[in-house]
Amino acid sequence: MILNIPLPWLQLVKQKVRFFVALAGIAFISVLMFMQIGFQDALYASATQVHKHLQGDLFLISSQYKSLTSTQSFPRSRLYQILGFNGIESVEPLYVQFAKLKNPINGRKYPIYVLGFEPVKSIFKLPEVERDFQLLKIPDQVFFDRAARPEFGPIAEYFQNNKPITMEIFSYLGTIGYKVKVSGLFTLGPSFGVDGNLIVSSSTFLKIFPEHGVNKIDIGSIHLQPNANIKTILATLSNSLPKDVTVMTRQDFIDFEKSYWTLRTPIGFVFNLMVMMGFVVGVIVVYQILYSNISTHFVQFATLKAMGFRNKYLLNVVFQQAIILAVLGYIPGFAISLGLYDIAKDATKLPIVMDLSKGLLVFTSVIVMCLTSGFFSTNKLRKVDPAEIFN
């Protein structure tokens, strides 16, 4: 019975203008959901780019750590303590801090995120940094994020064209700029809290931020020996280290960052609210369409019931119409969203990417939305009495 399409289809297309307006409404709701989910996913993906590209098996942070943009340092001695445990191969410190980078073209300063590490080996899983990290041993050399927002100027383009680039970086407490030279590029990209990134050596980092102090570490990367049991070592470190630091796996580190943006910032709440609002608005729009369609064909439904068709058949007609509207409305919504994703990605530099999971999530949501509307719109149909209609 559910595949008995002709009657539902013929009822829908009888009034073509209303039919296409209905499809436009569902397409709009689909686009709204795609954009909300796309930006929400970009929020989490961009906020955890550094976490995903750090080398290491376990990570050490301060117990006061909230997010990458709101870090708290811990003593370097904690890393030395970790070296005393069985199964630990090496540890590496990472320094992070916001600075102001002066645009070399217009002289304006913009916040940039600076990551400093000891260039004995690369702490990042970034191809250019892994290949050329030894360049950072030269004083005052930096690697610039080619995916940074354009406010910093054409730094990446100048470097790719072999034009020498010298920039000034200012700490937030300092008024005198520190001059550095770009010696390489890498790709991390901006996030909702960061417009761009610089990678420097620890010695250059401490020259930019003399107030930071060499013994104040922001993130510790822990490498385990081959065949070491990560769960056992994680439990041992968590139970043995002082409570001013926290050890976690990479996935826990990523989840911690996502949790911050979801639960501790308004933006996470707003995204979830907007997705729910889109769903509710969609239910109302489709309900009005289906209810109007039922009212228009109420006499025909009553006739069918007088002929012996049961409520189950009539309800199936409405639910089939809901599914037809969902599928045909979703297709243009998906196509429009593909174009909007490209536009939004170019404009914001955020990783807004269409993938199968988003496509299925929105498709399922649209189907559920239309079926929910169909359920509410059939109240009148369930109570139809042919005797009252034709008397």
Side-chain angles (χ1 to χ4, degrees), residues 338-368:
L338 281 176
L340 291 178
Y341 269 34
D342 288 339
I343 294 172
K345 185 177 181 181
D346 290 340
T348 64
K349 305 295 182 186
L350 292 170
I352 303 173
V353 180
M354 181 67 76
D355 54 30
L356 182 62
S357 62
K358 290 192 188 74
L360 290 176
L361 177 61
V362 174
F363 182 68
T364 305
S365 299
V366 171
I367 292 286
V368 172

Side-chain angles (χ1 to χ4, degrees), residues 202-377:
S202 54
S203 61
T204 301
F205 183 93
L206 294 171
K207 289 177 183 176
I208 299 171
F209 307 103
E211 71 282 359
H212 190 283
V214 67
N215 290 320
K216 297 194 311 187
I217 309 300
D218 297 302
I219 298 172
S221 172
I222 304 169
H223 297 260
L224 305 184
Q225 294 175 352
N227 303 321
N229 188 313
I230 189 169
K231 291 184 179 177
T232 303
I233 294 177
L234 176 63
T236 302
L237 292 177
S238 298
N239 294 330
S240 304
L241 289 172
K243 300 304 179 187
D244 61 347
V245 291
T246 302
V247 187
M248 55 181 67
T249 64
R250 183 186 307 279
Q251 190 58 52
D252 289 341
F253 197 20
I254 290 172
D255 292 342
F256 191 89
E257 191 76 24
K258 287 182 178 178
S259 173
Y260 170 81
W261 287 99
T262 304
L263 304 176
R264 299 187 183 182
T265 64
I267 194 167
F269 173 79
V270 168
F271 276 131
N272 289 328
L273 179 64
M274 292 303 290
V275 171
M276 292 178 61
M277 289 299 295
F279 183 87
V280 172
V281 170
V283 169
I284 295 171
V285 169
V286 179
Y287 169 81
Q288 290 179 330
I289 295 166
L290 293 176
Y291 185 84
S292 175
N293 188 64
I294 290 172
S295 299
T296 302
H297 299 95
F298 199 63
V299 174
Q300 289 90 327
F301 281 120
T303 304
L304 289 171
K305 198 163 186 179
M307 293 168 64
F309 288 91
R310 296 186 176 181
N311 273 345
K312 182 180 177 183
Y313 174 81
L314 304 182
L315 297 181
N316 274 339
V317 171
V318 177
F319 284 124
Q320 287 175 53
Q321 290 175 345
I323 292 174
I324 291 170
L325 290 173
V327 173
L328 296 184
Y330 171 84
I331 293 171
F334 176 77
I336 294 170
S337 299
L338 281 176
L340 291 178
Y341 269 34
D342 288 339
I343 294 172
K345 185 177 181 181
D346 290 340
T348 64
K349 305 295 182 186
L350 292 170
I352 303 173
V353 180
M354 181 67 76
D355 54 30
L356 182 62
S357 62
K358 290 192 188 74
L360 290 176
L361 177 61
V362 174
F363 182 68
T364 305
S365 299
V366 171
I367 292 286
V368 172
M369 177 183 78
C370 290
L371 290 177
T372 303
S373 302
F375 175 79
F376 288 118
S377 65

Side-chain angles (χ1 to χ4, degrees), residues 40-61:
Q40 189 176 38
D41 191 55
L43 165 66
Y44 298 140
S46 60
T48 57
Q49 285 279 51
V50 172
H51 308 64
K52 294 171 184 171
H53 288 93
L54 279 177
Q55 305 271 13
D57 302 300
L58 295 172
F59 298 93
L60 187 69
I61 57 175

Side-chain angles (χ1 to χ4, degrees), residues 37-99:
I37 293 172
F39 276 112
Q40 189 176 38
D41 191 55
L43 165 66
Y44 298 140
S46 60
T48 57
Q49 285 279 51
V50 172
H51 308 64
K52 294 171 184 171
H53 288 93
L54 279 177
Q55 305 271 13
D57 302 300
L58 295 172
F59 298 93
L60 187 69
I61 57 175
S62 166
S63 56
Q64 299 296 320
Y65 176 99
K66 294 182 177 63
S67 79
L68 208 58
T69 56
S70 180
T71 60
Q72 291 287 328
S73 302
F74 61 86
R76 176 181 280 267
S77 58
R78 298 289 177 257
L79 289 179
Y80 297 147
Q81 285 179 261
I82 290 175
L83 286 173
F85 288 87
N86 292 330
I88 305 296
E89 184 174 87
S90 63
V91 295
E92 296 175 77
L94 178 67
Y95 303 91
V96 297
Q97 187 85 31
F98 274 106

